[in-house]
Amino acid sequence: MINLTKGQSINLKKEGAGGLQRVHLGLGWDVAKAKGLFGMFSAPESIDLDASAAVYDAQGNLLDTIWFRQLQSKDGSIKHSGDNLTGAGDGDDEIITVDLSRLPSNVSQIVLAVSSFRGQNFAKVENAFCRVVNADNKQEAARYNLSATGNHTSIIIGKLQLVSGEWTFKALGEMTNGRTIQDIANDIRRVL
């Protein structure tokens, strides 16, 4: 398993033992604990982060979006696990599964993002991460720490990209603001 830093890429074929077909992009987070005396006596609020994916062709044309209001790509090759409204529990809170073998031939990039639907900023989030996992054997290939606290409400996490016929994952870590994938569409285009 590789701990990715911003701008770093991994080749999924090499990390997937020669034949990675399906990949889980798992997102997890916790609510930041309140600080100070008042934090000791108050219950933590829930944080509704939403994983989403935007699918592009080689020319940068948006082909599809997968998010809590559309849990599957039009062709069925990308599926969202559903909306976790709190971030409670251990492990992945939301998962986007990509079947690389079923993607249409015109797909060249899939951008993964996370947004705070209620507009809470990332100062209220801790232990946020994205995992790249071989969906068939559950082996984690890479992990990217997203715990960059601040006033932003969205992060463009990274992208699956077809490079010289092989799929790679590149950690982007671009902080932005928006409540849904549509709100940050222009920011995503900028990082393509």
Side-chain angles (χ1 to χ4, degrees), residues 20-156:
L20 189 100
Q21 296 297 311
R22 294 183 324 123
V23 63
H24 284 321
L25 301 169
L27 173 69
W29 70 93
D30 294 321
V31 176
K33 292 163 190 62
K35 302 209 184 328
L37 184 59
F38 293 110
M40 293 173 47
F41 301 106
S42 64
E45 64 181 302
S46 63
I47 301 286
D48 180 12
L49 296 184
D50 296 313
S52 53
V55 183
Y56 293 89
D57 66 15
Q59 291 73 41
N61 298 309
L62 180 65
L63 303 173
D64 207 348
T65 54
I66 298 83
W67 58 309
F68 71 89
R69 290 193 178 145
Q70 180 182 320
L71 295 177
Q72 181 172 295
S73 61
K74 294 171 189 142
D75 59 45
S77 62
I78 304 171
K79 295 182 180 179
H80 192 297
S81 63
D83 195 11
N84 180 322
L85 300 175
T86 64
D90 293 331
D92 299 331
D93 294 310
E94 294 188 13
I95 299 170
I96 294 178
T97 302
V98 180
D99 188 336
L100 299 171
S101 67
R102 291 187 53 209
L103 286 173
S105 60
N106 63 331
V107 172
S108 69
Q109 296 184 77
I110 302 167
V111 179
L112 183 66
V114 58
S115 302
S116 172
F117 185 70
R118 293 185 206 135
Q120 297 155 305
N121 64 42
F122 274 74
K124 299 180 183 227
V125 176
E126 62 184 23
N127 303 322
F129 64 86
C130 175
R131 295 183 329 132
V132 179
V133 178
N134 181 328
D136 296 317
N137 67 14
K138 308 297 185 231
Q139 182 178 354
E140 186 173 321
R143 179 178 289 253
Y144 183 39
N145 180 354
L146 303 173
S147 293
T149 61
N151 292 326
H152 57 285
T153 58
S154 299
I155 300 175
I156 302 168

